């Protein structure tokens, strides 16, 4: 174990965390502001990845692929909001879980019909194919690009929510939608836009993740559940919380998987460590969440209300 | 009390139970053993849904992690059998003990939260279980583990589908009977009251949290029994039983059947698994049809099949009206009537 390895894994964790943030930002707003449990968010991520893969296949341009993913999932989000989600805002969480669970089943199968059961491949674009040198240490440029994109989105969404009029309305709508509506704001439209923007970010995450993961049916589910963990740890409805929690979860998960079996081997018998290490590593973020919730049920950085 | 014949919401499920009782005989006569295993699966899912109904339907605790208990029940058999223990009573004791303990610990943590956070944290615990068994390569990992020694209860060995069927059927009937009693018992009144208005029940001096935790534990233990039966039916314990989709399916079954009703879980399991089988006959991509159907059920509201049947119950009385009044007063009844029961040491 040397410092280069630690540093590389730290960056990997950061990259994973940033990817989680792209998903968590949209989900936490829908969660926190409309109080809507959207299990289909992972499906939007998956659809984004497929849109990107298809666009890349036809155009050969990664930029267009990302654009297609964002636009496609934005429109899909709008359609979903219009057909099903908007009717469910006022209902209780059980109905949300039920409806979006149905949507997950639907999209997983739809993808299998359209693109087949085999994974689809999305290549790393040529101009990001190399490695970047950071003080004598090289790191894949594409993963670095993911980190940059995630940070740009983080800053952008912070500015949008805290510094713009729309952001003010979003925050106000979270506290008292009836009052905001009474002031002449189309809260219905605002909600739809918010949902669609969340969907767009999920699509972006899917497109960015496409080249480093395999694009296949069901790819959204594991990442969705990790995203839910991020949101609960960060505090529901808090974008800032989602950002910090995403980084924490990303780094804890990545470092845990690499170093936990190794550390266990130092303190326990090898056979036990080899069995328990990976098990403990894959449970680590869920353990983290349970501990955080037991300690602070509101999450680490609850939204200011 | 209206006569049974004028209450389809009661006699339809009873008829379904009666028909289920004849399945092994019919299958034997027509030599279609496949159906025994198929209906055994339905019955086992109905038991699991009954279990979930205690927490979800009665208590309003939206647990998205009941696959955890289903899986634990399965692995109680799988792991015991791995070490050469085939005694069914040991399997059962292990299932009840482990599920009870896990439900107690996870429930105590989960119940610190409400709403979305409760849904999420129960989901997280189930995921922990899922990843635990996936990474235990020694016990099959994500391939699961075959069960060499199915549960033997004295002379009764759960090695054949028919034997599992009979036992599962008896467990189901007992569960339904128990749930019917529990629903109107002081305990049921308290958790149903807490679903309506926990603060009010609390104000009456009833420690709501303790009741909810107990409901969660009972729910988990019964679900574990369903897992034990499922593992015996398949002679296989698999981490896929713990997958989050299974928790989702159980919720769908309860809601389709009729949330908080006595016969809802049975009707839900029949319709859910039956529909699944029928759609599979038409197309491999049956989920494309099934998914939107679930969305429609959610959009339509959640009276479920039992709610639908209640509409046909004898006219004269207004069944819908009556059910709403009984439920809205549940909090009040719990607050007043049960307080005395608690004082006498019901819990």
């Amino acid at each position: 174990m040397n410092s280069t390895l630690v540093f590389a894994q730290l960056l990997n964790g950061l990259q994973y965390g940033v990817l989680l943030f792209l998903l968590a930002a949209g989900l936490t707003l829908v969660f926190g502001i409309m109080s809507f449990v959207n299990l289909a968010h992972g499906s939007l991520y998956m659809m984004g990845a497929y849109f990107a893969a298809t666009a890349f296949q036809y155009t050969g341009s990664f930029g267009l692929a990302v654009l297609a993913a964002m636009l496609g999932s934005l429109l899909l989000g709008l359609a979903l909001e219009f057909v099903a989600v908007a009717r469910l805002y006022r209902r209780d969480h059980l109905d949300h879980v039920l409806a979006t669970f149905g949507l997950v089943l639907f999209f997983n199968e739809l993808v299998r019909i359209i693109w087949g059961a085999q994974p689809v491949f999305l290549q790393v674009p040529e101009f990001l194919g190399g490695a970047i040198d950071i003080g004598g240490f090289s790191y894949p440029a594409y993963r670095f690009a993911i980190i940059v994109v995630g940070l740009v989105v983080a800053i952008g969404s912070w500015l949008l929510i805290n510094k713009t009029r729309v952001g003010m309305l979003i925050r106000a709508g979270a506290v008292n939608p009836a009052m905001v509506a009474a002031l002449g704001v189309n809260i219905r439209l605002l909600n739809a836009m918010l949902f669609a923007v969340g969907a767009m970010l999920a699509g972006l995450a899917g497109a960015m993740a496409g080249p480093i993961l395999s694009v296949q049916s069901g790819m959204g589910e594991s990442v969705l559940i990790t995203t839910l963990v991020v949101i609960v740890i960060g505090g529901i409805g808090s974008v800032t919380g989602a950002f910090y929690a995403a980084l924490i979860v990303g780094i804890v998960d990545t470092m845990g998987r690499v170093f936990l079996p190794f550390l266990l081997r130092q303190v326990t018998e090898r056979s036990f460590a080899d069995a328990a290490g990976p098990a403990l590593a894959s449970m680590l973020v869920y353990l983290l969440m349970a501990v955080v919730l037991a300690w602070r049920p509101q999450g680490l950085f609850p939204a200011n209300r | 009390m209206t006569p049974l014949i004028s209450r389809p919401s009661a006699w339809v499920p009873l008829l379904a139970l009666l028909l289920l009782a004849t399945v092994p005989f019919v299958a034997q006569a027509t030599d279609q053993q496949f159906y025994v295993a198929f209906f055994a699966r339905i019955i086992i899912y109905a038991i699991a849904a009954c279990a979930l109904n205690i927490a979800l339907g009665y208590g309003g605790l939206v647990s998205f992690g009941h696959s955890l208990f289903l899986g634990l029940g399965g692995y109680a058999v799988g792991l015991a059998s791995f070490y050469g223990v085939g005694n069914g009573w040991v399997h059962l004791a292990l299932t009840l003990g482990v599920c009870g303990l896990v439900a107690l610990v996870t429930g105590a943590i989960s119940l610190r939260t409400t709403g979305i956070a409760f849904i999420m944290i129960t989901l997280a615990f189930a995921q922990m279980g899922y990843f635990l068994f996936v990474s235990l390569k020694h016990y099959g990992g994500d391939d699961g583990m075959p069960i060499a020694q199915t549960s033997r209860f004295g002379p009764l060995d759960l090695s054949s589908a028919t034997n599992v069927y009979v036992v599962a059927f008896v467990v189901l009937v007992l569960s339904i009977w128990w749930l019917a009693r529990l629903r109107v018992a002081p305990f049921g009144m308290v958790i149903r009251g807490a679903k309506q208005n926990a603060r009010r029940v609390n104000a009456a001096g009833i420690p709501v949290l303790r009741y909810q935790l107990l409901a969660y534990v009972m729910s988990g233990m019964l679900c574990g029994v369903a897992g034990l039966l499922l593992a015996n039916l398949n002679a296989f314990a698999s981490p896929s039983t713990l997958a989050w989709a299974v928790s989702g399916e159980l919720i769908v079954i309860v809601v389709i059947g009729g949330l908080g009703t006595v016969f809802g879980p049975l009707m839900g399991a029949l319709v859910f698994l039956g529909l699944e089988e029928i759609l599979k006959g038409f197309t491999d991509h049956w989920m494309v049809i099934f998914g939107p159907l679930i969305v429609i059920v959610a959009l339509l509201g959640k009276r479920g099949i039992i709610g639908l049947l209640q509409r046909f119950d004898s006219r004269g009385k207004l069944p819908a009206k009556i059910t709403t009044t009984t439920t809205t007063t549940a909090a009040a009844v719990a607050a007043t009537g049960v307080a005395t029961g608690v004082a006498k040491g019901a819990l």
Side-chain angles (χ1 to χ4, degrees):
Chain A
M1 186 157 55
N2 55 32
S3 57
T4 332
L5 181 62
V6 175
F7 187 59
Q9 292 305 332
L10 209 60
L11 276 178
N12 278 343
L14 186 65
Q15 174 253 306
Y16 180 43
V18 158
L19 208 56
L20 285 176
F21 170 72
L22 286 181
L23 281 161
L27 196 55
T28 201
L29 286 176
V30 174
F31 243 163
I33 292 177
M34 299 174 236
S35 185
F36 183 76
V37 186
N38 183 18
L39 298 178
H41 201 70
S43 299
L44 291 162
Y45 161 86
M46 175 179 75
M47 293 307 282
Y50 272 102
F51 289 148
T54 308
F56 192 75
Q57 214 176 357
Y58 283 107
T59 64
S61 153
F62 189 74
L64 282 180
V66 171
L67 208 66
M70 290 172 74
L71 202 67
S73 48
L74 179 89
L75 292 176
L76 191 61
L78 270 179
L80 276 187
E81 212 270 350
F82 186 72
V83 174
V85 175
R87 294 162 214 263
L88 290 166
Y89 288 139
R90 286 167 187 280
R91 308 267 280 277
D92 64 19
H93 300 322
L94 185 58
D95 288 335
H96 305 164
V97 169
L98 207 61
T100 51
F101 180 71
L103 288 175
V104 170
L105 297 184
F106 172 74
F107 279 113
N108 279 344
E109 203 58 50
L110 186 71
V111 156
R112 262 182 231 132
I113 293 175
I114 300 177
W115 285 282
Q118 296 301 316
V120 174
F121 288 98
L122 183 58
Q123 284 157 356
V124 172
E126 248 170 58
F127 65 99
L128 289 171
I132 282 183
D133 191 71
I134 317 161
F137 160 81
S138 73
Y139 192 73
Y142 185 74
R143 285 173 183 265
F144 203 74
I146 293 180
I147 297 178
V148 172
V149 168
L151 293 180
V152 167
V153 170
I155 295 167
S157 53
W158 185 82
L159 288 176
L160 176 78
I161 289 170
N162 291 305
K163 300 290 170 193
T164 65
R165 189 180 146 75
V166 172
M168 181 190 73
L169 291 176
I170 291 172
R171 281 180 288 138
V175 180
N176 193 338
M179 181 60 83
V180 176
L183 292 173
V185 176
N186 188 342
I187 197 95
R188 173 79 192 72
L189 184 70
L190 197 68
N191 282 350
M193 295 309 293
L194 205 58
F195 191 86
V197 169
M200 185 185 76
L201 288 181
L204 173 64
M208 297 305 288
I212 51 175
L213 300 170
S214 68
V215 179
Q216 60 183 342
S217 171
M219 68 183 280
E221 288 169 22
S222 54
V223 80
L224 167 80
I225 291 168
T226 316
T227 309
L228 295 174
V229 169
V230 164
I231 286 169
V232 170
I233 289 180
I236 290 164
S238 152
V239 178
T240 321
F243 180 71
Y244 291 125
L247 296 191
I248 293 172
V249 167
I251 290 171
V252 164
D253 191 55
T254 309
M255 303 291 263
R257 277 173 209 281
V258 178
F259 298 114
L260 203 64
F262 181 79
L263 284 177
L264 268 183
R265 224 176 279 168
Q266 309 290 313
V267 290
T268 61
E269 245 178 83
R270 196 186 173 97
S271 63
F272 175 77
D274 285 348
L280 204 57
S282 56
M283 289 164 62
L284 204 56
V285 293
Y286 301 101
L287 277 173
L288 181 70
M289 167 167 154
V291 169
V292 167
L293 277 186
W295 171 49
R296 291 182 67 154
Q298 301 305 311
L300 291 180
F301 312 94
N304 296 322
R305 288 282 159 81
Chain B
M1 197 80 163
T2 42
L4 191 64
I5 191 74
S6 57
R7 281 186 295 140
S9 66
W11 67 256
V12 169
L14 285 174
L15 186 68
L17 264 184
L18 207 66
L19 287 177
L20 280 176
T22 64
V23 164
F25 302 107
V26 175
Q28 184 122 48
T30 56
D31 203 25
Q32 299 267 356
Q33 288 302 318
F34 161 78
Y35 284 105
V36 177
F38 172 62
F39 281 103
R41 227 174 95 81
I42 291 186
I43 291 177
I44 291 168
Y45 267 80
I47 297 169
C50 276
L52 179 62
N53 202 23
I54 302 174
L56 176 66
Y58 291 2
L61 306 169
V62 187
S63 163
F64 205 169
H66 258 55
S67 61
L68 175 65
F69 304 110
L70 206 62
L72 285 176
Y75 272 97
V77 181
L79 292 177
S81 149
F82 186 80
Y83 290 106
V85 179
N87 188 330
W89 299 111
V90 175
H91 293 173
L92 185 64
L94 243 142
T95 300
L96 293 177
V98 169
C99 288
L101 194 68
V102 169
L104 188 69
V105 173
T106 60
I109 299 174
S110 310
L111 282 167
R112 285 173 54 82
T113 61
T114 53
I116 299 174
F118 184 83
I119 303 177
M120 290 307 126
I121 194 165
T122 48
L123 176 67
F125 282 124
Q127 285 298 107
M128 269 192 236
Y130 175 74
F131 284 116
L132 176 69
F133 286 110
V134 162
S135 12
L136 290 177
K137 298 279 179 262
H138 191 55
Y139 302 113
D142 50 6
D143 291 331
M145 61 195 306
I147 293 170
Q149 309 212 22
T150 44
S151 306
R152 270 194 325 275
F153 296 92
L156 181 69
D157 189 345
L158 296 187
S159 57
S160 76
T162 312
N163 285 0
V164 176
Y165 189 98
V166 172
V167 172
F169 184 77
V170 172
V171 172
L172 177 66
V173 171
L174 289 176
S175 307
I176 289 177
W177 174 77
W178 180 53
L179 256 78
R181 297 290 304 269
L182 191 71
R183 191 168 186 274
V184 289
F187 178 83
M189 284 308 226
V190 170
I191 56 170
R192 282 166 62 209
K195 180 187 176 184
Q196 303 277 325
N197 191 338
R199 197 178 285 178
R200 194 161 159 193
V201 178
N202 238 340
I206 303 168
V208 165
L209 206 62
R210 238 182 282 167
Y211 279 80
Q212 286 176 327
L213 185 57
L214 189 59
Y216 193 75
V217 170
M218 293 195 302
S219 176
M221 286 166 83
L222 184 58
C223 202
V225 174
L228 178 146
L229 291 167
L230 191 63
N232 274 301
L233 180 68
N234 301 333
F236 201 74
S238 162
S240 64
T241 324
L242 287 103
W244 76 291
V246 176
S247 303
E249 283 168 9
L250 287 178
I251 293 183
V252 174
I253 289 175
V254 172
V255 176
I256 289 185
L259 200 61
T261 60
V262 174
F263 288 117
L266 169 66
M267 300 311 284
L270 272 170
V271 167
F272 185 94
L273 296 172
L275 205 60
E276 182 181 319
E277 199 64 25
I278 293 168
L279 288 178
K280 267 181 191 166
F282 283 111
T283 165
D284 281 344
H285 301 297
W286 58 280
M287 277 213 269
V288 164
I289 307 165
F290 204 54
L293 278 181
I294 296 175
V295 178
I296 291 170
V297 168
L299 286 173
L300 288 181
K302 49 174 176 292
R303 302 284 316 277
I305 296 165
I306 296 295
L308 202 68
L309 290 172
Q310 277 169 349
R311 288 201 194 163
F312 299 108
D313 285 2
S314 72
R315 319 283 158 160
K317 288 180 180 180
L318 289 171
K321 202 72 171 242
I322 288 162
T323 36
T324 44
T325 37
T326 44
T327 44
T328 42
T329 48
V333 173
T336 54
V338 178
T340 50
V342 175
K344 285 181 211 147
L347 191 86

